[in-house]
Amino acid sequence: MPAPVTVDEDPIAALVGFTVVLRHAGLNITTDRVTAFLSAVDQLDVTSRVQTYWAGRLTLCSDPDDLPRYDRAFADWFTPPREGSGGTELIDQRKPPPPKLAALTSPNGQGESDDSEGDEEEQFLARASGNEVLRHRDLAELSPAEREHLRRLLALLKPDPPQRPSRRLHPARRGFSDAHRTLRAALRNGGEIRELRKRDHSVRPRKVVLLIDVSGSMEPYADALLRFAHVVVRRAPASTEVFTIGTRLTRVTRELRMRDPERALAATGRAIPDWSGGTRLGEVLRAFIDRWGQRGAARRAVVVVFSDGWERGDTELLGSQCARLARLAHKVVWVNPHAGKDGYAPIQGGIVAALPHLNQLLAGHSLATLEKLLEVMASSDGGRVTRR
């Protein structure tokens, strides 16, 4: 590996030598990237440590795993010379800005050498802290890098599908006495009853229906909510139905059954004709109940409505349809992203009309609240409306 070259000797040689060091460190340094790096530095101040750092990071790094190796190579190569050694040091000694959340939470690369245990512990704490902060951030206020990281966290969710008792009976430790199995066991033991066999009702997956508002007011949350729906559908594809609501009703269950989330979201976007449009919750809810709900989709199901409650149509119609839905479903949960914000009050016309017929009103503005929603969906209790 070549020795560092000071700026006064030959700036170009120093910069090219730095790229050679990066190539030895395992980075994929091509001629095009070296040319881009030199062109970027030519437009900046070569004596500025911060500008040189970011010029190289943006042109020479192609993978998150390259960042730790790049930082170490930069620190070693551009270390200011000691007093009396000659040469001109880089005058800007400020540390480069810390990486974004997505970089903090990225895993370590394979080519990275092992540092001390303190460095590993510091990286682990940064990763845990970043995930925890992101869990409570409002979905509408995330940066592009944070949205990308949120997509990976959503893919890691493992929801437990709600269960319901079946009419079929199966052998169990507790439950009803099973006379037939008890007598058959006694015959095998010479007529002696040694154990009282029992049976109980088996459980089956309870149907789940997700109604996601894709109107203009819900556009900042629509992408994350559809990805959340994709996770739920992939967990229980046979018992989950997903519809989008706005000015019309659109069934997107088939599109969300695709394994790849990106392909599923792309197909869902092509299937939705009223994306970022208006809201007619009463009419759309009536269409759902007439075509799907009363024919079996909503009967004894957990129905979740994702909407902020802004209704352009008749609020009395929405209230009557919510009453119909409550009579059909096992549980009706309304998820309003604004319900988790300070000072929120359920004063929107749609929320006021639907509130008496809901089991729960939840906030859905963050990953933490969506995790809470999964717990509510899995629980078997109904009850009166509550706010969380």
Side-chain angles (χ1 to χ4, degrees):
M1 187 177 299
V5 180
T6 60
V7 176
D8 277 351
E9 294 178 0
D10 189 354
I12 301 299
L15 298 175
V16 174
F18 174 56
T19 62
V20 176
V21 173
L22 293 177
R23 185 179 294 108
H24 283 284
L27 275 69
N28 183 20
I29 304 298
T30 63
T31 304
D32 294 338
R33 290 177 181 171
V34 175
T35 304
F37 172 52
L38 297 178
S39 300
V41 174
D42 185 54
Q43 302 297 324
L44 304 172
D45 183 6
V46 71
T47 63
S48 172
R49 186 182 184 89
V50 174
Q51 295 184 24
T52 305
Y53 172 87
W54 285 106
R57 175 164 169 169
L58 295 176
T59 56
L60 300 176
C61 296
S62 59
D63 190 86
D65 296 340
D66 296 341
L67 301 181
R69 286 173 280 179
Y70 176 84
D71 290 341
R72 284 199 300 272
F74 184 88
D76 294 339
W77 186 260
F78 291 104
T79 299
R82 295 181 180 180
E83 185 177 356
S85 62
T88 303
E89 65 181 47
L90 299 177
I91 60 176
D92 193 342
Q93 296 299 322
R94 294 175 298 172
K95 294 183 178 180
K100 296 294 184 181
L101 182 63
L104 284 176
T105 55
S106 61
N108 294 331
Q110 295 181 354
E112 184 177 353
S113 60
D114 294 332
D115 292 337
S116 62
E117 295 181 359
D119 294 340
E120 295 179 357
E121 181 178 359
E122 182 179 355
Q123 292 176 2
F124 177 78
L125 292 176
R127 184 181 302 114
S129 176
N131 289 344
E132 187 62 25
V133 169
L134 187 59
R135 287 182 65 252
H136 298 278
R137 289 285 304 277
D138 194 315
L139 299 177
E141 300 175 355
L142 299 181
S143 65
E146 291 170 337
R147 288 183 181 275
E148 182 63 28
H149 186 64
L150 176 69
R151 294 169 183 174
R152 294 195 293 268
L153 293 181
L154 284 173
L156 296 177
L157 293 178
K158 295 183 178 180
D160 294 327
Q163 306 288 331
R164 67 175 181 87
S166 172
R167 293 184 179 181
R168 294 181 179 273
L169 300 176
H170 69 105
R173 290 187 176 183
R174 301 177 181 178
F176 310 101
S177 298
D178 192 343
H180 294 285
R181 294 180 60 245
T182 302
L183 291 177
R184 284 196 298 269
L187 291 176
R188 289 193 296 269
N189 296 325
E192 180 181 357
I193 300 179
R194 298 181 180 179
E195 182 182 3
L196 183 63
R197 303 296 178 89
K198 297 183 179 181
R199 59 181 180 173
D200 199 358
H201 291 283
S202 60
V203 294
R204 300 181 60 185
R206 186 181 294 278
K207 290 177 289 187
V208 176
V209 179
L210 305 180
L211 303 174
I212 302 177
D213 190 347
V214 294
S215 61
S217 59
M218 287 288 293
E219 185 177 3
Y221 302 94
D223 179 79
L225 295 179
L226 288 173
R227 292 180 182 275
F228 172 80
H230 176 262
V231 174
V232 177
V233 170
R234 290 294 303 164
R235 188 67 172 178
S239 58
T240 306
E241 291 284 349
V242 183
F243 299 83
T244 61
I245 56 179
T247 57
R248 58 182 298 177
L249 179 72
T250 306
R251 181 175 181 262
V252 294
T253 307
R254 181 179 300 177
E255 289 77 7
L256 291 177
R257 284 176 180 169
M258 296 181 181
R259 182 180 299 273
D260 183 32
E262 300 303 326
R263 292 183 56 191
L265 267 292
T268 302
R270 292 191 296 267
I272 300 175
D274 56 341
W275 184 276
S276 190
T279 310
R280 297 187 179 274
L281 296 177
E283 298 176 8
V284 174
L285 198 58
R286 179 173 60 185
F288 164 73
I289 297 175
D290 293 341
R291 295 181 55 189
W292 299 91
Q294 64 184 7
R295 296 184 179 182
R299 292 187 182 275
R300 295 179 295 176
V302 177
V303 180
V304 183
V305 182
F306 298 87
S307 178
D308 54 4
W310 292 106
E311 170 65 301
R312 289 187 177 182
D314 187 5
T315 56
E316 294 183 0
L317 176 61
L318 176 59
S320 63
Q321 298 308 310
C322 288
R324 290 180 61 192
L325 186 61
R327 290 192 294 267
L328 289 172
H330 168 73
K331 182 191 302 183
V332 180
V333 180
W334 194 293
V335 179
N336 186 346
H338 302 301
K341 300 179 180 179
D342 296 336
Y344 170 80
I347 59 175
Q348 297 89 350
I351 294 294
V352 172
L355 197 60
H357 312 291
L358 305 179
N359 295 93
Q360 286 185 323
L361 174 63
L362 302 178
H365 66 292
S366 65
L367 179 61
T369 56
L370 294 179
E371 292 174 348
K372 178 63 179 178
L373 172 61
L374 292 178
E375 298 177 4
V376 172
M377 292 168 56
S379 63
S380 59
D381 59 334
R384 298 180 179 178
V385 62
T386 57
R387 286 185 56 194
R388 294 186 180 180

